[in-house]
Amino acid sequence: MKKGIDNSKILDAIKTALPLENKFVSLHEPRFEGNEWTYVKECLDTGWVSSVGKFVDLFEEKLAEYTGVKRAVAVVNGTAALHICLTLVGVEPGDEVLAPAMTFVATANAITYCRAVPHFVDGEEKTLGTDPYKLGDYLKEIADVRLEGCFNRLTGRRIKAVVPMHTFGHPVDLDPLVEISERYKLELVEDAAESLGSYYKGMHTGNWGKVSALSFNGNKVITTGGGGAILTNDESLGKLAKHITTTAKIPHRWAFYHDMVGYNYRLPNINAALGCAQLEQLPGFITRKRALAERYREVFGQIEGVTFFAEPDFARSNYWLNAILLDKDFSGERDNFLEMANSAGVMTRPAWTLMHKLPMFSTCPRMNLDVAERLETCLINIPSSSFLGGLHE
Ligand SMILES: *Cc1c(COP(=O)(O)O)cnc(C)c1O
């Protein structure tokens, strides 16, 4: 047997960091310990459960305040938010959009909803997200910058945008990505679905993209049941985001007049009520999540053959989902470990199957994906619910 890795030691390390004994531990659970009941009851009592109501406005205000953007627009889910972000920056049928190979399928799906083509880019070990320098070298090889934009020399298609994603809440290296997007005339859209509460160089993620997307799905840092938001610092784009996600109706007391094809992507008031209550608890969630990450970091410091993924220097992460990386020699052990941990009631799972390995995206253009390929074989997510970080206090 190879020296250096022992699956039961890894499992013991996880259990040491967790407060609970002999109980099933899920990957990520929501917690409702604030004003959720009160606010939802108010919706039911007043009848304002659906597409308008004070909680939608309040949630949007509080989100903008928390993230530091000029405008937040609440929508039905993160995928819809991404779809509209891409539409707003002008992604058109036949365009290519640069997106990570290692991401949740929604990123690539949203590109496809615009009848555009995802073009997959590699990640880096430091952030688990897009490697800006490797991307820069790649574009130097394949991209032509013309007056009308950036064109892929190999496919002839326009490359309209780049969508970095903050993997498991860890910010990508945004400054060099902004530089590349300017040099190549690409619109920057942040998939910030996982990074509510994560900061890059002191500023909240979602502030670098022309528009950015958040998700409040049940497994995210805060949840509205299902939900998402579009963030932007461009007031007119913010207005347009609200308009296009609310059926593009011109406000009037009785007339139904719509001035473009809009979407019914509104977040219902009852979900926004949940969101308002969850936002109040967000700072506490993040403190506990960071405390849990710190315990993991300590225990995994002692374990050979495996590294706990920690935020890079420029980031302050929400540690939405904690991750460990098996050393190169031991990545063959991944499935054995997953089998053992899940059987023992400690929920763990691998990274997403890379996008270009899914049937609908298998023919999409892509760069060399060595790092993403390696991360796919060695990355394991471990239990990360915020309450797990509070119980040792
Ligand atoms: C969760 C998530 C989304 C989509 O969010 P939904 O609210 O589930 O539609 C998009 N991108 C990434 C990276 C996500 O993790």
Side-chain angles (χ1 to χ4, degrees):
M1 206 179 105
K2 271 189 192 144
K3 194 176 153 288
I5 195 160
D6 180 340
N7 282 336
S8 57
K9 275 200 184 137
I10 302 178
L11 185 56
D12 286 344
I14 296 175
K15 285 183 170 166
T16 309
L18 297 178
L20 305 169
E21 290 273 352
N22 306 322
K23 205 177 153 220
F24 175 78
V25 192
S26 63
L27 203 62
H28 202 284
E29 274 174 44
R31 266 296 196 259
F32 306 104
E33 292 171 345
N35 287 316
E36 285 86 353
W37 279 107
T38 314
Y39 295 168
V40 170
K41 183 169 186 305
E42 189 178 324
C43 294
L44 300 178
D45 289 344
T46 59
W48 292 102
V49 294
S50 193
S51 42
V52 280
K54 75 168 202 194
F55 288 114
V56 176
D57 299 335
L58 189 64
F59 188 45
E60 290 181 343
E61 266 166 47
K62 295 286 175 196
L63 270 176
E65 191 181 303
Y66 183 86
T67 57
V69 299
K70 287 221 175 83
R71 183 78 205 260
V73 175
V75 294
V76 277
N77 58 52
T79 312
L82 274 173
H83 178 196
I84 297 305
C85 285
L86 294 165
T87 305
L88 289 176
V89 301
V91 172
E92 289 176 355
D95 283 342
E96 291 181 9
V97 175
L98 301 164
M102 192 176 91
T103 185
F104 177 57
V105 71
T107 320
N109 279 345
I111 295 167
T112 313
Y113 300 162
C114 299
R115 288 191 281 146
V117 179
H119 185 151
F120 298 118
V121 305
D122 204 12
E124 60 174 341
E125 300 225 3
K126 188 169 82 169
T127 64
L128 304 177
T130 296
D131 180 338
Y133 302 101
K134 190 167 175 178
L135 177 61
D137 289 344
Y138 176 64
L139 289 174
K140 204 183 290 175
E141 246 174 65
I142 66 127
D144 267 334
V145 183
R146 301 184 209 148
L147 219 53
E148 321 89 85
C150 179
F151 287 80
N152 182 339
R153 245 179 253 151
L154 308 174
T155 62
R157 287 187 289 243
R158 181 172 71 159
I159 308 177
K160 182 61 184 175
V162 56
V163 186
M165 194 275 282
H166 305 297
T167 314
F168 309 134
H170 300 295
V172 300
D173 197 354
L174 282 159
D175 280 345
L177 269 175
V178 168
E179 201 268 314
I180 284 169
S181 68
E182 284 166 358
R183 189 171 356 133
Y184 287 94
K185 296 190 180 177
L186 304 170
E187 301 289 359
L188 184 70
V189 173
E190 288 176 68
D191 182 344
E194 304 178 354
S195 69
L196 182 64
S198 297
Y199 294 78
Y200 176 75
K201 297 186 179 172
M203 206 196 287
H204 198 282
T205 50
N207 271 283
W208 278 260
K210 193 175 202 175
V211 277
S212 306
L214 294 177
S215 166
F216 312 114
N217 190 37
N219 62 344
K220 295 295 189 335
V221 180
I222 65 165
T223 186
T224 56
I230 298 160
L231 305 180
T232 184
N233 282 309
D234 180 324
E235 306 259 19
S236 63
L237 273 185
K239 262 195 182 150
L240 188 54
K242 187 69 183 178
H243 187 60
I244 201 173
T245 54
T246 53
T247 72
K249 183 178 182 292
I250 304 296
H252 190 278
R253 279 166 66 201
W254 59 80
F256 283 95
Y257 185 79
H258 309 259
D259 64 351
M260 61 196 286
V261 175
Y263 297 84
N264 180 13
Y265 279 178
R266 291 178 279 226
L267 184 72
N269 199 47
I270 197 164
N271 299 80
L274 265 182
C276 288
Q278 287 268 288
L279 258 186
E280 292 167 357
Q281 297 161 80
L282 179 58
F285 288 164
I286 303 238
T287 303
R288 275 172 260 155
K289 290 174 80 63
R290 290 183 60 85
L292 176 62
E294 182 51 30
R295 284 210 300 278
Y296 277 138
R297 202 180 60 78
E298 278 167 21
V299 296
F300 280 108
Q302 322 292 321
I303 310 286
E304 261 186 275
V306 51
T307 311
F308 176 72
F309 184 86
E311 64 196 0
D313 292 342
F314 51 63
R316 188 176 164 83
S317 176
N318 63 8
Y319 283 92
W320 170 54
L321 278 192
N322 291 292
I324 54 173
L325 302 166
L326 301 177
D327 288 359
K328 216 183 198 94
D329 294 346
F330 309 116
S331 52
E333 281 293 310
R334 187 194 77 175
D335 290 357
N336 290 335
F337 174 74
L338 291 171
E339 189 58 52
M340 174 181 178
N342 285 294
S343 303
V346 175
M347 195 172 160
T348 54
R349 63 168 204 208
W352 307 279
T353 301
L354 300 181
M355 291 302 107
H356 67 286
K357 295 183 179 173
L358 304 179
M360 61 288 193
F361 301 128
S362 63
T363 59
C364 292
R366 59 179 193 256
M367 65 188 273
N368 168 289
L369 299 172
D370 282 354
V371 175
E373 298 268 6
R374 145 129 182 84
L375 287 171
E376 186 187 34
T377 63
C378 77
L379 191 147
I380 295 168
N381 286 124
I382 57 180
S384 300
S385 305
S386 60
F387 75 92
L388 295 171
L391 303 180
H392 274 312
E393 276 162 9

